Amino acid sequence: SGQVLHCPYEADKARIIMMEMADALSLDLVSKGLVTDQLVVTIGYDSKSLETLGCDYTGKIKVNHYGKKVPEHAHGTTNLKRKTSSTKLIIQAAIELYDRIVDKNLLIRRLNLSANHLVDEKEAQEETTYEQYNLFTDYDRLEKQKKEENAALEKERKLQQAMLDIKSRFGKNAVLKGTNFLEGATARE
C-alpha cells in the first residue's frame, strides 16, 4: 500500500502514518487469507527539505519527473521470523525498518509499504520446518514458548476478524485505534 501525503510531514508524524499503513496492511492480509514473511518500505522525500537544510545536506540528490531536485528516496527490506498476518508483528517490523532507514532531518512526501512472499494462510500452516538440535537448548521450554506465542497470535487473529466484520458492516471508521487520533494521523480521512 502506498500513500502520497498532501503536505510534507516531519519524520515523527510520518512514523504515525507508517503505523496506520502497517495496521491496514495486516487487516488486508487477514481479509484475503494471506500471510507474508517480508516487508519493504520506501520513503520519498520532499524538495522543500533541500531548501530548509541548504548546504547541510550531504546525501545523494536526484531530479524528479517535475524537474525539481529532491533527496534520493530511502528504501529497505526486512524479513519476519515467521509467515504471518499479525498486526503486532507487522507494525513492529515496519516501524523498526522505518526508523532504520529514514533521514529524520528531511521532510517526507511519500510512503510505501509492501508485503512480499505472499502465501495462502492454509499453505503456510502445512509447511514443515526443519531445525538442527544441539545439546545446550532446553527444547521443552522452547516448545512451551512456541505454544504460548501461537495461542497469542490465534487470539489476535480472532480480534482482527472481528474488526473486519465490524468494518464491513458499519464502515471503515467504525473501529479506530488511539493512534488514529494523534496529530498527523490520516486513517480517519
Side-chain angles (χ1 to χ4, degrees), residues 42-146:
T42 304
I43 302 167
Y45 297 111
D46 192 74
S47 61
K48 293 179 184 174
S49 300
L50 296 177
E51 295 169 13
T52 57
L53 288 177
C55 297
D56 293 337
Y57 181 70
T58 58
K60 292 182 180 179
I61 297 174
K62 67 176 196 164
V63 177
N64 67 10
H65 57 279
Y66 296 112
K68 293 182 178 180
K69 291 182 179 180
V70 294
E72 188 173 66
H73 67 271
H75 184 81
T77 303
T78 188
N79 292 316
L80 304 172
K81 293 178 183 167
R82 63 188 304 166
K83 292 182 180 180
T84 186
S85 60
S86 164
T87 300
K88 178 182 172 186
L89 296 177
I90 289 176
I91 288 176
Q92 181 183 6
I95 291 302
E96 285 174 4
L97 179 57
Y98 174 86
D99 289 341
R100 190 174 75 223
I101 66 172
V102 72
D103 186 339
K104 294 184 191 282
N105 297 319
L106 300 175
L107 297 172
I108 297 171
R109 172 61 71 175
R110 181 178 38 88
L111 292 172
N112 287 325
L113 175 63
S114 303
N116 290 345
H117 306 159
L118 296 177
V119 180
D120 187 67
E121 193 171 24
K122 290 179 177 68
E123 284 180 34
Q125 290 173 351
E126 293 171 0
E127 278 185 14
T128 56
T129 58
Y130 301 98
E131 182 178 344
Q132 183 171 346
Y133 288 100
N134 66 47
L135 297 173
F136 306 106
T137 302
D138 183 1
Y139 288 101
D140 291 333
R141 184 177 56 82
L142 193 62
E143 188 66 31
K144 184 180 177 184
Q145 282 178 336
K146 283 184 182 180

Side-chain angles (χ1 to χ4, degrees), residues 26-43:
S26 68
L27 287 177
D28 196 31
L29 290 172
V30 169
S31 71
K32 294 176 180 170
L34 299 172
V35 291
T36 183
D37 66 351
Q38 187 179 63
L39 296 176
V40 178
V41 172
T42 304
I43 302 167

Side-chain angles (χ1 to χ4, degrees), residues 10-20 95 98-99:
E10 295 172 355
D12 293 337
K13 291 181 181 176
R15 188 175 194 268
I16 295 167
I17 296 169
M18 179 58 64
M19 289 173 64
E20 291 177 326
I95 291 302
Y98 174 86
D99 289 341

